[in-house]
Amino acid sequence: MAIKFLYSFVAAAVSTTAVLVNAKASAPLRFAGVNIAGFDFGCGTDGTCVASGAVPPIHKLSGIDGLGQMQHFVNDGYNVFRLPVGWQYLTNDKMTGVLDKTQFAKYNTLVSDCLSTGAYCEIDIHNYARYNGQIIGQGGPSNKIFAELWSNIASHWKNETKVIFGVMNEPHDIPNIAAWAASVTAIREAGAKTQMILLPGTDYASAKTFVSSGSANALAKVKNPDGTFTNLIMDVHRYLDYDGSGTNAECVTNGIEDSWTPLATWLRANGRKALNTETGGGNVESCVKYVSQQISHQASQSDVILGYIGWAAGSFATNYVLSQAPSYSGTSWNDTLLVSMAMSPKINKHIATVA
């Protein structure tokens, strides 16, 4: 999990891109990317979000050049961006599935900026399976209201093949994780028939406990309306600090033995795939080491692991403990240590990009 108290690139078309990592046998990862945060600022892990707390990574709204960052990252070889947003932001602090036109238009600016780079763009509702402290469909807003929200979101991008729908960020302490079924149906029936939908488990979408918590078996039962599992992807997070929280600068593990090996085994046995939509660490040598090992291992499991998305750039300051936000010198963008030495598909030591 990542406990985040949230406050604070010449357009290049991306062809279908694979990321190659020098594992024992070089294997392609389909995705490498980064979170472009800001619309989720003001959200806590209890799902309490305040729309006014958002810091949109849009230059005309906040002075933060999210588009420039994404263009830079695409030039580095990235091909996916996750775009977190609070439910309350999209509805202007109303517990409803109806989108506020003004608020949604601002968020759509970021999505449009993302799409303009040629990358895939993930819509991520960053509410921890809650709305102002209450669990969705289990004491809080009804599954019907949440499905309506996703129906309205999906209908807007139903024809955008590079939009990915991330049903929910980091659910935790959820009695019934399979409650996402209604949202999958809502997305598909809104006309988004083929795009990827990401299904998160409980325990903050932990890759480490995805199987042991029962999330894997519960989510395995979630189907498309036609009864298939096509493009229903498991959504997992893994931070490499001592407590897996994503709040500490130093990394102490690569997560291979306790997380990626059991997860890949389950995915392969059940014919499913997963995407690691949050990972990272501080800009220190220990994280360069362990994140590099993690990515290399993921590549060796690329038949079931689709790739990784780092946390985080966008509106985060460059001194944020997990910052992957590049700094701008006036003429060029400069990557953080972790991006430049471990996560960027541009570097040769761990990753190379091919068309």
Side-chain angles (χ1 to χ4, degrees), residues 136-158:
I136 298 166
Q138 297 168 62
S142 67
N143 288 330
K144 182 178 179 181
I145 291 175
F146 188 56
E148 180 186 23
L149 177 72
W150 268 113
S151 178
N152 288 325
I153 291 171
S155 64
H156 186 80
W157 289 297
K158 63 184 179 182

Side-chain angles (χ1 to χ4, degrees), residues 10-143:
V10 187
V14 177
S15 59
T16 301
T17 301
V19 180
L20 293 185
V21 180
N22 294 324
K24 290 184 178 179
S26 291
L29 285 171
R30 184 175 178 186
F31 294 116
V34 65
N35 282 264
I36 305 297
F39 276 105
D40 55 317
F41 285 16
C43 290
T45 59
D46 66 348
T48 297
C49 302
V50 180
S52 62
V55 182
I58 298 170
H59 192 268
K60 67 180 181 181
L61 296 179
S62 67
I64 296 168
D65 190 3
L67 173 59
Q69 290 185 24
M70 288 187 284
Q71 290 172 339
H72 164 72
F73 282 127
V74 165
N75 286 338
D76 275 358
Y78 285 95
N79 62 359
V80 62
F81 300 106
R82 185 172 182 248
L83 312 175
V85 62
W87 179 350
Q88 289 90 330
Y89 187 89
L90 295 176
T91 60
N92 201 18
D93 290 324
K94 295 181 177 64
M95 193 182 73
T96 177
V98 179
L99 300 170
D100 181 90
K101 291 182 180 180
T102 300
Q103 298 290 88
F104 182 71
K106 293 176 183 177
Y107 180 67
N108 185 39
T109 298
L110 181 64
V111 180
S112 297
D113 285 348
C114 177
L115 290 169
S116 76
T117 70
Y120 283 80
C121 308
E122 180 195 337
I123 313 302
D124 162 51
I125 303 299
H126 215 77
N127 276 70
Y128 303 87
R130 287 160 169 78
Y131 189 101
N132 292 348
Q134 296 183 305
I135 299 173
I136 298 166
Q138 297 168 62
S142 67
N143 288 330

Side-chain angles (χ1 to χ4, degrees), residues 13-343:
V14 177
S15 59
T16 301
T17 301
V19 180
L20 293 185
V21 180
N22 294 324
K24 290 184 178 179
S26 291
L29 285 171
R30 184 175 178 186
F31 294 116
V34 65
N35 282 264
I36 305 297
F39 276 105
D40 55 317
F41 285 16
C43 290
T45 59
D46 66 348
T48 297
C49 302
V50 180
S52 62
V55 182
I58 298 170
H59 192 268
K60 67 180 181 181
L61 296 179
S62 67
I64 296 168
D65 190 3
L67 173 59
Q69 290 185 24
M70 288 187 284
Q71 290 172 339
H72 164 72
F73 282 127
V74 165
N75 286 338
D76 275 358
Y78 285 95
N79 62 359
V80 62
F81 300 106
R82 185 172 182 248
L83 312 175
V85 62
W87 179 350
Q88 289 90 330
Y89 187 89
L90 295 176
T91 60
N92 201 18
D93 290 324
K94 295 181 177 64
M95 193 182 73
T96 177
V98 179
L99 300 170
D100 181 90
K101 291 182 180 180
T102 300
Q103 298 290 88
F104 182 71
K106 293 176 183 177
Y107 180 67
N108 185 39
T109 298
L110 181 64
V111 180
S112 297
D113 285 348
C114 177
L115 290 169
S116 76
T117 70
Y120 283 80
C121 308
E122 180 195 337
I123 313 302
D124 162 51
I125 303 299
H126 215 77
N127 276 70
Y128 303 87
R130 287 160 169 78
Y131 189 101
N132 292 348
Q134 296 183 305
I135 299 173
I136 298 166
Q138 297 168 62
S142 67
N143 288 330
K144 182 178 179 181
I145 291 175
F146 188 56
E148 180 186 23
L149 177 72
W150 268 113
S151 178
N152 288 325
I153 291 171
S155 64
H156 186 80
W157 289 297
K158 63 184 179 182
N159 296 319
E160 290 286 356
T161 59
K162 288 193 171 183
V163 166
I164 300 169
F165 300 109
V167 172
M168 178 56 64
N169 176 69
E170 295 191 344
H172 62 90
D173 305 292
I174 305 298
N176 179 16
I177 198 65
W180 308 121
S183 297
V184 169
T185 299
I187 291 168
R188 295 298 190 221
E189 290 184 347
K193 304 291 188 183
T194 61
Q195 293 95 328
M196 283 181 282
I197 299 175
L198 305 183
L199 304 175
T202 191
D203 196 17
Y204 298 88
S206 170
K208 183 176 180 179
T209 63
F210 186 76
V211 177
S212 63
S213 69
S215 292
N217 287 336
L219 294 175
K221 300 173 185 176
V222 177
K223 300 180 181 180
N224 291 307
D226 64 2
T228 70
F229 303 111
T230 305
N231 279 338
L232 299 183
I233 308 300
M234 304 305 176
D235 185 356
V236 296
H237 293 178
R238 184 65 165 100
Y239 289 94
L240 306 179
D241 49 352
Y242 79 93
D243 59 358
S245 68
T247 60
N248 304 285
E250 295 289 341
C251 296
V252 300
T253 180
N254 53 32
I256 293 171
E257 183 176 352
D258 65 10
S259 302
W260 300 112
T261 296
L263 175 62
T265 298
W266 184 90
L267 292 168
R268 201 168 286 117
N270 289 273
R272 305 303 293 270
K273 298 180 186 295
L275 179 61
N276 179 196
T277 61
E278 281 191 29
T279 192
N283 288 293
V284 294
E285 292 300 326
S286 64
C287 292
V288 169
K289 172 185 174 181
Y290 286 120
V291 170
S292 296
Q293 291 174 1
Q294 175 183 257
I295 292 172
S296 182
H297 181 76
Q298 289 175 335
S300 73
Q301 308 296 311
S302 63
D303 59 316
V304 291
I305 304 294
L306 294 178
Y308 61 90
I309 305 178
W311 184 271
S315 297
F316 277 115
T318 55
N319 63 355
Y320 164 57
V321 65
L322 299 188
S323 183
Q324 295 183 24
S327 58
Y328 189 64
S329 66
T331 57
S332 61
W333 293 93
N334 301 296
D335 285 319
T336 65
L337 176 69
L338 187 64
V339 169
S340 65
M341 295 299 294
M343 301 198 76

